[in-house]
Every structure is written in C-alpha cells, then in structure tokens.
Amino acid sequence: THELRNPLATATLAGAQLRGLAGEHPRMIRAVNLLDRAHDSIRVLIERVLNAERLEAGEVIPVTKELELGALLDPMLETLREMANTRSISLLADYDPTIRLNVDPMLTSSAIGNLIENAIKYSSPGDVRLDVEERPSEIEVHVRDNCDGLSVEELRVIFEPFRRGRHGGKGAGLGLAIARRAVEAQGGSIHVESKGRGCHFAL
C-alpha cells in the first residue's frame, strides 16, 4: 500500500493539470471529475488497508478524551444521511447528544461510522437505525438494517478483512474489520445477529 501512494500522487497531479486545460468544456470537466472521484476512492482504500493492518498489529494506542456524544455523532450522521438518501434509505437516530463519554474519538467514530455505512450499503430501501442506550457505567450503540439477512457461516466471518456477504456489493470488505478492531483496541466488544431479515450490530 505504501508503494501505491507515489503513483497515486502522480495521477492526482496529472488530474489537476488536466482540470486546468479543460477550461469550460463540459465533457472534459465531467471526465476530470470522474478521475478525481476514482483517485479519492483509491486513497480511501489505501488508508483503510493501512488502518486495518495497524489495528491488527496492535500499533494503534487509544488516546481517550472526554466529550459529548453529539460532538461525535452529529457531523458523522450529516454526511452519512447524504449517502443514505442516494439509496432511498432513511437514516434514523435516537440518542441523547449531551451524554458524556470518555473514548478515543477517532477510533470510536471509525467504528460507528463503518457500521452505519455498511448498513446503508447492504440495505434495501427503507430504514437504517442508530440507537444509543445509556447505562450506569457504559453506553451501548445499536445499528439495525433491513438487509436480506446473513447465514450462520457469514456471521462467523463477517468481521474478517476482505470478507463480504453472498449479496456482494461495492467495497473491499474492510469496514467491519476496522470497526471490530477499533472497538477492541479500547477494551470493548462488538456483536452481530441476524434472524431472518436484517442485521443488528451492537457495541
């Protein structure tokens, strides 16, 4: 993955130069925009692979910080709702934004964000739900979708890198692997169940 960064940087620079040459030509502008999106996708994939490997190797040391739940979730949900809308999915969320918690913001945001993104990606049009349950000494986060359901074998390997369900879909199969490692790095755990239609993730 490190060796992919240099040619990607070169391709990105070339794309920027092409944008300067495109002027007001609509077809050229569309082509350059497509190129930029492809470069962004490759960049995200590289970072996900590296993050998964760092977490797997125990190289990521959590840096905890006290913050309100809303500061963690509000910006994330705003972006994910845009993604959900393109798939005719309603992203519903029920949580108290004033709940205070002591977590690593980056790892926690990555874990929850990957769960929701995965739910949106594999759900049929309908609802994806995020619910946060407050308990005396902890909070539990639930993400529920309305996918076609998973078999026992799929549930067994779903958190392994590069593994995806039988229904396919876009992506490298890293989101859930990163989510699990991000949670476990902070001493937590993540679970999934699927009874018929839909999946329920809890962390």
Side-chain angles (χ1 to χ4, degrees), residues 18 46 50 65 87 90 99 111 120 125 142 160 172 182:
L18 286 173
I46 290 172
L50 288 175
K65 176 182 177 181
R87 298 181 56 85
S90 296
I99 293 176
I120 294 171
H142 303 270
E160 295 181 10

Side-chain angles (χ1 to χ4, degrees), residues 88-139:
S88 300
I89 291 172
S90 296
L91 177 54
L92 309 177
D94 183 15
Y95 60 92
D96 179 355
T98 65
I99 293 176
R100 299 198 67 81
L101 62 163
N102 195 26
V103 295
D104 182 306
M106 184 190 72
L107 291 177
T108 306
S109 177
S110 176
I112 298 173
N114 274 302
L115 287 182
I116 297 174
E117 184 176 336
N118 180 79
I120 294 171
K121 190 180 298 181
Y122 289 98
S123 283
S124 302
D127 296 341
V128 166
R129 290 196 58 87
L130 167 70
D131 296 288
V132 179
E133 181 182 357
E134 186 177 16
R135 297 178 176 176
S137 59
E138 64 181 10
I139 67 167

Side-chain angles (χ1 to χ4, degrees), residues 4 27 46 52 66 120 175:
L4 290 173
R27 290 182 61 187
I46 290 172
E66 186 175 353
I120 294 171

Side-chain angles (χ1 to χ4, degrees), residues 44-55:
V44 169
L45 177 58
I46 290 172
E47 290 304 317
R48 285 192 169 188
V49 172
L50 288 175
N51 287 339
E53 289 302 315
R54 291 189 189 108
L55 287 164

